[in-house]
Amino acid sequence: MSSQPSDPLAAVDALLAAVEAGHLLPAPAERVRLREAAGLTQAAVAQALGVRIPSIQAWEDGRAEPKPERLRAYRRLLEGLAQRYPAPASPQSHATPPADTSHPPATATETFPAPERPGPNTPEPATPSPAPAAPPTAPNGPAVAESVVRPASSSRRPAVKTAARAATTAPADPRFPHGPLAVLDGDGSAYGVNGIVLDCPAATVVELVEWTLKESGLGAARLNRNGKDSDPLIVLTASAAVKLGLPENLEGREERRSLRLADDHPVVKQIEKAKWQLTQRGFGPWARVYRKAEGSARQCVQLAVLSWDALDTRSWPGVAYMAPAAIANVLGTYAQRVITPRGSTAVSGLELMTALRPPTRAVQENGTWVSGHNPGSLGTDQMDPAPPEAIVEHPVVVNSGWTDGFLNEEAYQWVRDPALLSDEECLLPYAVGLDLNTAFLAAAARLVVGLSAPDHFHRPVFNKKIPGSWLADLSHIDLDPRLPSPFTPDGTRPTGPAWYQTHTLAYAQELGHDVHPVEAYLRRETGAYLDPWHDRLKTAYVETLADLGVTADLTDAEFLAAMEHHKQADPAMAAVLSAIKATVKGGIGKLRERPQGRTYRDGDPWPAMQRPTWRPDIRAAVISKARVNMHRKLTNMVKLTGLYPLAVLSDCVVYPSPGASPLDFLPYDASGKPLMGGFRLGPTPGLAKLEGVQEMSWAVDLMEKGLNPARHIKGGDAVLDDGE
């Protein structure tokens, strides 16, 4: 027998009061309609409201209602969606609907009130900021869902329940219907891109690897027709790591030192017993578990352990502390725009070069297809650098007894002599810092580098089209001391013969000086190896900035305003942007990765130098071109404005200014259009943004102390952007 209210009139009054106060929600079906009309997944709504996906499912099924602390936010979301997506008018709206025996008829209190149309002076009601959008994938496939899905015992792949048709697009490759990666939580939920949540029954690392390869539907198609598909990535939360038998943290003394599990750890033994293998780096924050490929099918899974600091906070700010679904969206966006993460952003940057320029391709020999060299790539063999291109630890240097110097193509670290400051400059009120967007990426565009081994030449005629290392004397060139020398990282005048990369000597010619090298190491085979790398990362950078509200169609004033708040607009997308920038810097730095470990001795080979992508000459070419680009802009600024810089730190330059904005000193024509040649504001690589503003007296004080204002212009210490 159902209970009856003791006072029906009081109950009715309470119900009317709830309607008046706006405490009631629309019918469950309307909640689903509004979310789907907006293209929002249940995961996105759950993240925005700070609840789990099952809570959203219960609210939309009518099995539960939000608690008071979530009710107001949820209703506010639905009200905002109802204004944007009103219910379609039905031609039979006045007809008597057919009886529904499965549910009682809706009452007036369940009907969502139609929003009032705002008048011309009525502000639009505020709506909550949506959760970060799931990364789009290529079209031509079925939509994936946000529901938890359970694999049927008779199937090797989880069945996907479609519940958000308008919310997503599916991957073009049917082999990987669930995207490139998933974040596994301790309850067995594997959160993928586009709001999908798979059920992972694995209780061990071996079971997880086999589930990933056989049932998960995870992975990504190759980026180049001659390349390899991206291995699926499983990111483990702390609770998932513990469930699989891994320590929550690397606590042992040996583990902390090597950043990996000891070889006798039970999980490592389990992997070996099941005939799987680990790379030489072992089981660390980024572990690769693999077997020999079966034909063209790779058998490899990448694992990342969040609680072991797999996601460096400098590259992925705040991501490790997000909810699993949000982590999946951030990493999924990066994977879709750049590459499925394969380690640190530096490792991913280097891997992206190879993925876009695979070392081999299929060629026919005597009617048989075999693996052959892919033109334009670095090949499969490690290549020794020329002695001046190497570092002091390299066997080429140690074994040959080389003592004739090295390339010193590094980023700028220069401060103008305070004695060269004019009274007019010192009386200006502000010091304004400009930062060039991804300066190394801009330098990589259309950059011709050497692809073959170096050949040694004596007294060669300089040719700016040939990449290589040249020994020349530029000490006779006298330049304005108010600008840094373009030939040295510290901006001082050269004191004698030194090794230079091609771009540096070409710039000396551009400035009108004769160049007579006495020696050179040059490469006969050349090509724009970094072009596809540059193009993909540039597109990723520009698209991600656009997602944060910074687009190319903004005026300079609008651009500065948008950049001031872009990180707060969407912290998740801001983290993707940070990772893209770190990929550029780290990828260039990896081209000259140094030996590591306390037991290393000079002259011994180390793992990094034994790969084809250990190319310090290519790194030198990028940095040389970036430094030359900076000096060219500095020189043009003098011609256009008469202004000289106070300091330069890699891609950041500080100028004295009459105002607190770059608009107060950058060159514009009479119509307000930026003048070509100097620094220009904008969102693309090579253009500038505001780095920071301080008082001029502050900058002068630092300069007199021998400190670099460009390092501190933001209000805190900065790390040198030298690509290492």
Side-chain angles (χ1 to χ4, degrees):
M1 180 176 177
S2 60
S3 60
Q4 298 294 328
S6 58
D7 187 350
L9 292 177
V12 169
D13 289 341
L15 193 60
L16 291 173
V19 174
E20 183 68 23
H23 291 163
L24 296 183
L25 296 171
E30 177 67 1
R31 304 173 197 179
V32 175
R33 186 195 71 79
L34 289 170
R35 177 179 59 75
E36 291 186 351
L40 295 175
T41 65
Q42 289 179 333
V45 176
Q47 181 185 346
L49 297 178
V51 299
R52 295 179 65 83
I53 294 175
S55 296
I56 303 299
Q57 293 172 337
W59 299 348
E60 292 187 350
D61 291 342
R63 294 182 283 108
E65 294 295 305
K67 294 181 180 180
E69 61 269 22
R70 296 286 186 268
L71 175 62
R72 182 178 179 184
Y74 189 41
R75 181 178 175 85
R76 184 177 178 185
L77 171 64
L78 296 175
E79 286 178 341
L81 295 179
Q83 287 191 337
R84 290 162 172 76
Y85 308 101
S90 172
Q92 299 179 351
S93 59
H94 298 291
T96 303
D100 183 355
T101 59
S102 61
H103 295 283
T107 64
T109 57
E110 292 177 313
T111 303
F112 196 60
E116 295 182 3
R117 185 179 300 276
N121 298 320
T122 305
E124 290 280 16
T127 57
S129 298
T137 52
N140 304 326
V144 291
E146 73 282 354
S147 307
V148 177
V149 294
R150 306 284 175 180
S153 59
S154 61
S155 173
R156 297 174 61 85
R157 178 171 293 174
V160 181
K161 178 182 177 183
T162 302
R165 293 182 297 275
T168 62
T169 53
D173 196 321
R175 297 172 300 159
F176 312 118
H178 299 153
L181 56 87
V183 180
L184 181 62
D185 209 354
D187 62 358
S189 298
Y191 296 83
V193 300
N194 296 328
I196 189 172
V197 184
L198 303 175
D199 180 63
C200 175
T204 67
V205 169
V206 171
E207 291 177 358
L208 173 62
V209 170
E210 293 178 347
W211 173 85
T212 302
L213 291 174
K214 297 177 181 178
E215 299 184 36
S216 71
L218 297 173
R222 64 197 67 185
L223 296 179
N224 182 286
R225 62 189 299 266
N226 297 312
K228 300 174 181 178
D229 295 332
S230 289
D231 300 319
L233 167 64
I234 301 293
V235 181
L236 304 178
T237 66
S239 58
V242 172
K243 177 183 176 181
L244 296 173
L246 299 168
E248 183 173 347
N249 298 291
L250 294 177
E251 296 179 346
R253 180 178 179 183
E254 188 62 31
E255 290 173 349
R256 289 199 307 271
R257 181 181 302 124
S258 63
L259 290 179
R260 67 181 189 182
L261 293 180
D263 292 340
D264 60 354
H265 190 278
V267 170
V268 177
K269 292 297 184 182
Q270 288 172 9
I271 293 172
E272 294 175 352
K273 185 177 180 180
K275 306 302 182 182
W276 289 95
Q277 299 180 60
L278 293 166
T279 60
Q280 290 183 349
R281 288 189 173 273
F283 203 119
W286 290 88
R288 201 169 290 188
V289 185
Y290 70 97
R291 280 178 182 160
K292 186 177 180 181
E294 295 181 347
S296 61
R298 288 168 59 81
Q299 297 187 89
C300 183
V301 175
Q302 180 79 60
L303 303 176
V305 187
L306 290 175
S307 56
W308 297 3
D309 298 328
L311 298 181
D312 189 317
T313 55
R314 293 169 298 180
S315 302
W316 301 97
V319 176
Y321 306 103
M322 293 179 179
I327 297 174
N329 277 340
V330 170
L331 297 181
T333 302
Y334 178 89
Q336 185 261 335
R337 294 182 179 179
V338 182
I339 193 173
T340 303
R342 303 184 184 183
S344 67
T345 48
V347 169
S348 296
L350 195 67
E351 293 275 354
L352 180 63
M353 296 179 193
T354 303
L356 294 169
R357 291 276 200 192
T360 61
R361 65 170 181 170
V363 297
Q364 272 194 325
E365 287 186 2
N366 301 322
T368 303
W369 288 100
V370 297
S371 178
H373 174 66
N374 186 23
S377 75
L378 297 182
T380 58
D381 298 327
Q382 174 261 339
M383 185 184 300
D384 282 338
E389 297 168 348
I391 53 179
V392 294
E393 302 96 332
H394 199 283
V396 164
V397 175
V398 175
N399 296 338
S400 67
W402 178 266
T403 58
D404 293 336
F406 299 92
L407 280 175
N408 189 24
E409 299 289 10
E410 300 295 341
Y412 267 135
Q413 292 190 72
W414 172 81
V415 180
R416 200 202 312 179
D417 183 349
L420 298 177
L421 291 172
S422 68
D423 292 340
E424 292 80 5
E425 289 175 317
C426 292
L427 291 175
L428 290 173
Y430 295 104
V432 177
L434 293 176
D435 179 74
L436 296 184
N437 302 321
T438 56
F440 291 170
L441 184 61
R446 314 302 172 250
L447 176 67
V448 176
V449 300
L451 301 177
S452 57
D455 290 326
H456 193 194
F457 297 87
H458 291 280
R459 299 206 172 275
V461 176
F462 177 69
N463 187 333
K464 66 179 182 181
K465 295 183 179 180
I466 301 178
S469 305
W470 311 76
L471 180 63
D473 190 351
L474 304 180
S475 60
H476 64 284
I477 299 177
D478 186 20
L479 298 174
D480 193 321
R482 291 172 292 180
L483 291 175
S485 168
F487 311 127
T488 60
D490 63 3
T492 59
R493 183 172 176 173
T495 57
W499 289 95
Y500 297 101
Q501 202 276 334
T502 299
H503 280 88
T504 304
L505 283 193
Y507 188 58
Q509 274 192 340
E510 181 182 323
L511 295 176
H513 303 283
D514 291 333
V515 174
H516 301 287
V518 296
E519 194 175 349
Y521 286 89
L522 309 177
R523 288 171 165 79
R524 299 180 186 275
E525 184 182 344
T526 65
Y529 172 71
L530 293 174
D531 262 10
W533 186 81
H534 162 271
D535 294 347
R536 186 166 177 85
L537 285 168
K538 176 183 177 181
T539 300
Y541 180 82
V542 171
E543 286 182 352
T544 307
L545 262 182
D547 287 340
L548 292 167
V550 185
T551 56
D553 59 348
L554 299 177
T555 66
D556 283 1
E558 292 170 339
F559 168 75
L560 292 173
M563 287 299 295
E564 187 175 356
H565 303 291
H566 76 285
K567 292 182 180 180
Q568 292 74 37
D570 187 340
M573 201 57 64
V576 175
L577 183 69
S578 174
I580 292 170
K581 293 190 290 186
T583 301
V584 174
K585 302 169 191 174
I588 296 300
K590 277 283 184 180
L591 293 170
R592 198 191 67 170
E593 184 176 0
R594 291 181 174 273
Q596 302 175 13
R598 294 181 299 176
T599 61
Y600 177 78
R601 294 184 178 180
D602 290 356
D604 291 342
W606 64 95
M609 62 151 280
Q610 295 174 302
R611 65 187 179 222
T613 50
W614 197 84
R615 291 295 303 271
D617 58 302
I618 296 180
R619 174 188 177 275
V622 173
I623 297 178
S624 168
K625 185 178 175 183
R627 198 181 64 244
V628 164
N629 287 347
M630 172 66 80
H631 192 274
R632 188 179 289 112
K633 292 179 186 298
L634 297 174
T635 302
N636 288 337
M637 282 290 288
V638 174
K639 298 175 182 176
L640 295 171
T641 67
L643 289 177
Y644 291 85
L646 302 176
V648 183
L649 183 74
S650 186
D651 50 11
C652 176
V653 56
V654 179
Y655 274 101
S657 173
S661 169
L663 302 176
D664 295 315
F665 67 89
L666 288 180
Y668 295 87
D669 63 18
S671 66
K673 184 178 180 180
L675 294 177
M676 300 294 291
F679 294 101
R680 293 187 296 143
L681 300 175
T684 56
L687 298 186
K689 58 181 178 293
L690 177 64
E691 179 74 359
V693 182
Q694 300 288 345
E695 293 183 354
M696 182 63 181
S697 58
W698 168 90
V700 173
D701 183 57
L702 286 182
M703 295 168 68
E704 290 177 342
K705 293 177 180 178
L707 301 176
N708 193 323
R711 184 180 295 278
H712 307 272
I713 194 72
K714 265 188 172 180
D717 286 352
V719 178
L720 176 61
D721 228 359
D722 63 354
E724 291 285 14

